[in-house]
């Protein structure tokens, strides 16, 4: 759609050559670890994670999982979950607006934002599952690590983990006093400010605490010929913690408040009736993704309140863990969906009458969750059992302003209950068997009403409905260690995403008729190899996942719609298959270089899906690029003066990502490459760390969301190239 420059194409070919070279080096190391000088290659750090709700090393976990430390996120310019897409195999993410991020793992995700729907990828914030999409995309700061679990996690994480899980884990307060401030400034009004304070409240270290602050700004990515800037950032947050490490229950309390104040999301229309109308007025608006004809700033505001209480009690015969969580999210947005302005009469030309063309959302939600886990570990046996409860209350008003305006009122209450258990038996020193399962029950009570208008909602109704779903989701894993350096596993896992009710229902029948739950049966064969010297790692996962009644949201034709926009419908696709291969590797060379890379091949498509829009069998699933890859390196060097120089570079590639079941190319997100650079310099004994950074080095035009309409597509562009410097002061 957009031509890259010749210079960029050369860099792109260089990137693929470098990628293949590193892959070859990794293979050679697997055959001959001595390819790296034995005397100068330090070991890679042993990584301990809790992806399976117990402490294990990354190599021991029989699941495809990627781990990122908080320090790594900063080096590779990752500020939220959208940035993880460039480092994690099989993971794609987009953003329709701040209230509707879309996370997909191995082609499985959701873009349903109605009050009666759920996500397919679960975001856990310090052990608390975030129920609403509106609260699941938040800024990363004061974090210990992030874990991305790929594939269904139905036995330990329950409903709605049919795609996978993202665990976001805050850094634990420490006894030693620590204070620092970080500031980054760049072009396009970029300002990032972080502050941290942590210390013991007493001389004995019985009470530890921390306070962290975060603020991020950026001017709008999209500029309008009429003045407004859209897709800007004005995000802030504050997080406080209290930790009692020596108390019998190791209590930990985490409180957080964050607020976003942004302009509307910038849209770029491509082809179709809207694109043709724009081209008649402005070639720049028609062909530049960073320029449109919107005369409306719009807004995206969100306030999130979170309180989490954790405890861990060591008993004479086991351990008891508990996580209680309360979250409240208030979100309001108003967005020009077409990137047009009535000043040129374009909307009237497209829709046959003067319209505002905006979409307004007001949503308030709160949730409470409680999980209790009991674990026992013996020399050749591990046992885990738990209880889970979740309550969520949502009020949502959505308006489509197209003269006359359409209104959708949605109130939904969800209650979920679950029992889960898993046990591991060591058959021998090399062989173990894990079996487990989870029984989940979900109940939804929804009230919906409407005021019909020109688009989306075509009848007036007032409906009440309720429905419950339940399912048992077992899992079985066989672990085999041929030698201490190689872990292989084979797993059979199931997952379940509860049914729900259509958001923005076009009529009464759709409002009261639930869609079915979706379920998955997944097979995974994996290996995790560490070199004998600890300087190289290679992880591989082969997977095959079969989905029944996959929930699919799409815009479908409405015979009563003279404007041919259609209505929004969530349907259950008959069958879908996601299969493929994922590779991750990490390599340390000498004392200075560390390489990290990944590659994913994904074949995710509908097996059977006859929709009102046609037969979509063999079409690719949303956000499922066939090929994706990433390569990063970190170079650390002590200079002659004793100063420390750190250079981090990351480069990623993603293939085309379709945004609808029909695989309409004009609204798909084109393939793209993205490169970032971060450099820091620290003098010995100095409290100052100075840095320089570049995001999107090659100034690639790429997109984070798209949808089809009126024969064309509406795309949301990501930022172009940015650069600046950073300063950090440690007290």
């Amino acid at each position: 759609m957009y031509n890259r420059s010749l210079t960029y194409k050369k860099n792109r070919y260089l990137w693929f050559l470098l990628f293949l070279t590193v892959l070859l080096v990794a293979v050679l190391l697997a055959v001959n670890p001595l390819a790296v000088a034995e005397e100068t290659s330090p070991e890679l750090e042993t990584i301990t994670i809790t992806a399976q709700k117990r402490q294990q090393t990354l190599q021991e976990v029989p699941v495809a999982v990627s781990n990122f430390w908080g320090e790594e996120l900063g080096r590779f310019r990752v500020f939220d979950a959208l940035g993880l897409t460039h480092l994690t195999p099989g993971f794609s993410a987009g953003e329709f607006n701040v209230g509707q991020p879309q996370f997909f793992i191995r082609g499985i995700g959701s873009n349903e934002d109605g009050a009666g729907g759920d996500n397919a990828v679960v975001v856990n914030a310090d052990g608390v599952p975030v129920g609403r999409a509106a609260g699941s995309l938040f800024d990363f700061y004061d974090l210990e690590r992030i874990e991305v679990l790929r594939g269904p996690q139905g036995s330990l994480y329950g409903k709605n983990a049919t795609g996978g899980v993202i665990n976001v884990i805050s850094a634990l307060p420490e006894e030693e006093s620590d204070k620092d401030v970080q500031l980054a400034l760049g072009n396009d009004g970029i300002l990032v400010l972080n502050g941290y304070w942590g210390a013991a409240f007493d001389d004995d270290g019985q009470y530890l605490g921390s306070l962290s602050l975060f603020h991020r700004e950026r001017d709008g990515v999209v500029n309008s010929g009429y003045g407004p800037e859209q897709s800007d950032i004005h995000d802030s947050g504050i997080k406080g913690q209290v930790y009692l490490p020596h108390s019998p229950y190791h209590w930990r309390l985490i409180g957080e408040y964050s607020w976003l104040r942004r302009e509307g999301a910038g849209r770029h229309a491509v082809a179709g009736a809207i694109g043709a109308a724009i081209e008649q007025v402005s070639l720049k608006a028609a062909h530049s993704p960073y320029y449109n004809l919107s005369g409306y700033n719009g807004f995206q505001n969100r306030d999130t309140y979170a309180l989490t209480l954790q405890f861990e009690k060591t008993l004479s015969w086991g351990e008891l863990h508990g996580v209680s969580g309360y979250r409240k999210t208030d979100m309001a947005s108003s967005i020009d969906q077409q990137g047009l302005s009535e000043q040129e009469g374009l909307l009237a030309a497209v829709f046959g009458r003067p319209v505002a063309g905006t979409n307004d959302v007001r949503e308030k939600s709160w949730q409470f969750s409680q999980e209790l886990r009991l674990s026992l570990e013996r020399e050749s046996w591990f046992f885990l059992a738990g209880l889970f409860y979740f309550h969520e209350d949502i009020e949502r008003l959505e308006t489509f302003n197209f003269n006359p305006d359409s209104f959708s009122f949605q109130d939904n209450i969800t209650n979920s209950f679950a029992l889960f258990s898993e046990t591991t038996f060591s058959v021998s020193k090399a062989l173990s068997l894990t079996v487990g399962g989870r029984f989940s029950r979900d109940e939804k009570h929804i009230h919906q009403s409407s005021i019909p208008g020109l688009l989306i909602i075509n009848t007036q109704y007032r409906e009440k409905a309720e429905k419950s779903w339940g399912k048992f989701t077992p899992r079985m894993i066989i672990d085999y260690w041929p030698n201490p350096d190689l872990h292989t596993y084979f797993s059979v896992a199931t997952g379940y995403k509860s049914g729900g009710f259509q958001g923005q229902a076009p009529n009464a029948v759709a409002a009261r008729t639930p869609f079915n739950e979706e379920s998955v049966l997944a097979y995974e064969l994996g290996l995790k190899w560490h070199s004998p010297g600890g300087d190289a790692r290679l992880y591989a996962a082969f997977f095959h996942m079969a989905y029944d009644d996959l929930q699919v949201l799409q815009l479908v034709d409405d015979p009563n719609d003279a404007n041919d926009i259609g209505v929004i419908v969530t349907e259950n696709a008959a069958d879908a298959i996601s299969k493929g291969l994922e590779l991750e590797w990490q390599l340390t060379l000498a004392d200075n270089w560390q390489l990290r890379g990944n590659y994913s091949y994904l074949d995710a498509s509908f097996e059977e899906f006859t929709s009102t829009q046609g037969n979509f069998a063999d079409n690719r699933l949303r956000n499922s690029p066939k090929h994706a890859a990433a390569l990063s390196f970190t170079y650390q060097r002590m200079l002659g003066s004793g100063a420390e120089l750190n250079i981090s570079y990351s480069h990623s590639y993603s293939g085309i990502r379709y945004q609808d079941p029909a695989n309409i190319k004009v609204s798909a997100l084109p393939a793209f490459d993205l490169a970032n650079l971060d450099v820091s310099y620290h003098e010995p004994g100095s409290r100052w760390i100075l840095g320089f950074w570049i995001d999107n080095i090659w100034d690639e035009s790429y997109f984070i969301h798209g949808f089809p309409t009126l024969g064309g597509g509406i795309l949301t562009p990501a930022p172009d190239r940015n650069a600046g410097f950073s300063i950090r002061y440690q007290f």
Side-chain angles (χ1 to χ4, degrees), residues 435-619:
V435 292
R438 184 185 189 108
F439 176 75
S440 303
R441 181 176 176 82
D442 304 288
E443 301 173 351
K444 293 185 179 181
H445 305 262
I446 194 165
H447 292 219
Q448 294 199 75
S449 59
S450 72
I451 300 175
L454 179 68
L455 302 176
I456 307 299
I457 300 171
N458 51 41
T459 62
Q460 186 168 359
Y461 56 82
R462 184 180 295 273
E463 293 289 333
K464 292 197 302 184
E466 60 183 62
K467 177 73 174 178
S468 61
W469 298 267
K471 198 169 186 69
F472 177 66
T473 51
R475 180 173 75 158
M476 183 274 291
I477 304 171
I478 299 174
D479 291 273
Y480 179 63
W481 293 73
N483 59 64
D485 302 315
L486 179 61
H487 173 204
T488 63
Y489 65 89
F490 174 73
S491 67
V492 181
T494 56
Y496 148 78
K497 178 184 174 186
S498 74
F501 293 92
Q502 174 70 54
Q504 307 93 40
N507 52 56
V509 174
R512 65 173 176 263
T513 304
F515 48 83
N516 297 328
E517 73 272 16
E518 70 180 36
S519 57
V520 56
L521 174 62
Y523 302 91
E524 183 167 302
L525 176 64
L527 65 87
K528 297 187 174 185
W529 172 82
H530 287 198
S531 65
D535 47 37
R537 296 172 183 158
L538 176 64
Y539 297 168
F542 304 84
F543 59 90
H544 183 283
M545 309 190 303
Y547 285 81
D548 291 326
D549 286 334
L550 185 71
Q551 297 168 9
V552 179
L553 181 142
Q554 61 178 330
L555 196 64
V556 304
D557 293 335
D558 177 12
N560 299 317
D561 180 10
N563 294 282
D564 198 29
I565 294 292
V567 295
I568 300 172
V569 173
T570 299
E571 299 179 292
N572 289 99
D575 293 299
I577 297 291
S578 176
K579 56 187 177 181
L581 163 69
E582 295 165 347
L583 298 174
E584 289 186 278
W585 62 88
Q586 198 166 351
L587 176 66
T588 295
L589 299 172
D591 290 322
N592 308 110
W593 294 88
Q594 187 172 105
L595 303 179
R596 179 172 183 164
N598 67 69
Y599 167 77
S600 64
Y601 168 77
L602 180 59
D603 181 8
S605 60
F606 298 107
E607 289 288 288
E608 298 178 12
F609 185 17
T610 302
S611 166
T612 55
Q613 299 300 98
N615 187 348
F616 298 142
D618 298 327
N619 281 12

Side-chain angles (χ1 to χ4, degrees), residues 261-282:
R261 299 294 183 267
R262 303 183 182 182
E263 307 288 348
R267 307 298 194 207
H268 173 62
V270 180
I274 297 176
I278 292 175
E279 192 158 11
Q280 296 298 316
V281 176
S282 171

Side-chain angles (χ1 to χ4, degrees), residues 249-269:
Y249 285 88
H250 301 279
W251 295 103
R252 183 185 184 188
L253 181 66
I254 308 170
E256 185 173 5
Y257 170 56
S258 64
W259 60 100
L260 281 66
R261 299 294 183 267
R262 303 183 182 182
E263 307 288 348
R267 307 298 194 207
H268 173 62

Side-chain angles (χ1 to χ4, degrees), residues 202-407:
D202 61 344
D203 295 335
D204 300 327
Q206 298 286 335
Y207 301 91
L208 308 182
S210 66
L211 181 68
S212 52
L213 304 171
F214 173 84
H215 180 74
R216 182 160 65 118
E217 293 183 10
R218 189 195 65 218
D219 294 340
V221 172
V222 178
N223 295 295
S224 168
Y226 299 107
E229 290 188 353
Q230 298 160 332
S231 294
D232 67 331
I233 289 177
H234 285 84
D235 302 354
S236 302
I238 180 171
K239 181 190 297 184
Q241 298 190 61
V242 176
Y243 178 46
L244 282 62
H246 303 298
S247 72
Y249 285 88
H250 301 279
W251 295 103
R252 183 185 184 188
L253 181 66
I254 308 170
E256 185 173 5
Y257 170 56
S258 64
W259 60 100
L260 281 66
R261 299 294 183 267
R262 303 183 182 182
E263 307 288 348
R267 307 298 194 207
H268 173 62
V270 180
I274 297 176
I278 292 175
E279 192 158 11
Q280 296 298 316
V281 176
S282 171
L283 290 177
K284 182 177 181 180
H287 297 284
S288 171
Y290 306 110
Y291 186 85
N292 66 21
L293 297 179
S294 176
Y296 182 58
N297 289 73
F299 60 86
Q300 302 177 87
N301 299 335
R302 189 186 70 199
D303 293 81
T304 300
Y305 312 81
L307 192 64
T308 303
L309 179 64
Q310 303 174 345
F311 74 83
E312 176 183 331
K313 171 67 174 177
T314 300
L315 307 171
S316 59
W317 43 273
E319 290 187 349
L320 180 65
H321 298 257
V323 181
S324 306
Y326 170 84
R327 296 182 68 90
K328 181 177 182 291
T329 301
D330 295 339
M331 192 273 292
S333 66
S334 182
I335 296 172
D336 178 354
Q337 294 289 51
Q338 287 76 33
L340 291 179
S341 171
E342 268 305 273
Q343 297 182 54
E344 300 289 352
L346 297 182
L347 285 172
V350 172
F351 295 101
R353 69 184 77 184
V355 299
T358 60
N359 176 210
D360 300 345
V361 177
R362 305 287 188 278
E363 180 177 295
K364 294 184 177 182
S365 67
W366 68 271
Q367 65 170 73
F368 172 77
S369 64
Q370 176 66 61
E371 181 173 281
L372 294 173
R373 303 191 308 271
L374 179 65
S375 61
L376 298 81
E377 187 165 11
R378 301 295 182 263
E379 184 176 351
S380 59
W381 176 60
F382 175 83
F383 175 78
L384 173 72
L387 302 170
F388 175 77
Y389 170 72
F390 178 86
H391 174 89
E392 186 175 52
D393 195 324
I394 306 162
E395 297 179 1
R396 181 180 176 90
L397 166 62
E398 186 158 6
T399 309
F400 302 91
N401 300 306
F402 285 87
N403 187 24
D405 303 342
S406 304
F407 296 84

